[in-house]
Amino acid sequence: AQKVTQAQTEISVVEKEDVTLDCVYETRDTTYYLFWYKQPPSGELVFLIRRNSFDEQNEISGRYSWNFQKSTSSFNITITASQVVDSAVYFCALSERGNAGNMLTFGGGTRLMVKP
Amino acid sequence: DTAVSQTPKYLVTQMGNDKSIKCEQNLGHDTMYWYKQDSKKFLKIMFSYNNKELIINETVPNRFSPKSPDKAHLNLHINSLELGDSAVYFCASSQELRGDTQYFGPGTRLTVL
C-alpha cells in the first residue's frame, strides 16, 4: 500500500529565509510518480511539480528547488528567500503506476507561515 | 478561462437532503476525479472516472455517486446527507490515466446542518 508522510505539520519562518519541506513516501511499485501541490489561504490546489521514479535529477524553478532521493524515499522541496505570498499548506502526493485509477495519495500537508 | 470549474462554491444544506456538485473541465482531458478534504486538511480520493470506467475508493459510502454526462463533466451526487459529509470537495482532471498530473478545481465547501 502506498503512503506519504509529511512529518512537519507547521513551519514558521521570517521573510527571506530559506525553508525545506520534507516528504517521505512508501510504495511497493517500481514505477511511481511524485507531486507537490500548494494550497494558499484562498483554498485552491495549485500544481507545482511532478517527478517519475526514474528521474532523480533535481530541479530548480525560480525560488523552488526539489530534491528527489530514491535511496531514502524522500522528495523534498526548498523555497529560497521565502516571501509572505509563499504562506500556504504544501502537499506531497504519490501515484503508483499499478494503481488502476491513477489515484493520488496525499501526505497530511505542511503549513508554511512566512512572517514579514 | 477556468480549466476546471465547480459549482456551487458553497453549499449549505440540512441533514437527510440530496445534493449535487457539478464539475466541468475544458482541458480536453480523459480522466476526472473527486477528492474530499476534511476539516484537518487531509485529502482523500473518492473516485476516478476514465472512458466510462469508474474506479471507486472502497471507503466511500454508496450514498455518493459520480455521474458523467460526457467526457468534460463529472458531477457528484450525494444522497441522505450526514453531518460527517461536511468537507471541501475537489474535482480534478488529467490527460492520461497513469501518473499524469491532475489539475484541480477551486473546491466546493459543503456544510451539513
Side-chain angles (χ1 to χ4, degrees), chain B residues 78-97:
Chain B
I78 316 169
N79 290 327
S80 303
L81 278 156
E82 300 178 356
L83 294 177
D85 298 333
S86 295
V88 179
Y89 292 85
F90 286 96
C91 175
S93 72
S94 68
Q95 179 61 55
E96 302 288 338
L97 183 59

Side-chain angles (χ1 to χ4, degrees), chain A residues 37 39 50 97 101-103, chain B residues 33 37 48 97-99 102:
Chain A
Y37 286 87
Q39 186 173 42
R50 169 186 180 271
R97 183 167 177 80
N102 190 35
M103 299 181 183
Chain B
Y33 313 82
Q37 185 173 43
S48 166
L97 183 59
R98 296 189 188 277
Q102 296 180 27

Side-chain angles (χ1 to χ4, degrees), chain A residues 2 36 46 67 86:
Chain A
Q2 53 191 35
W36 276 98
V46 179
N67 186 304
D86 296 328

Side-chain angles (χ1 to χ4, degrees), chain B residues 9 33-34 41 43 49 61-63 76 84:
Chain B
K9 187 166 176 64
Y33 313 82
W34 278 104
K41 294 283 192 181
L43 279 155
Y49 193 86
N62 58 15
R63 298 181 295 102
L76 180 65

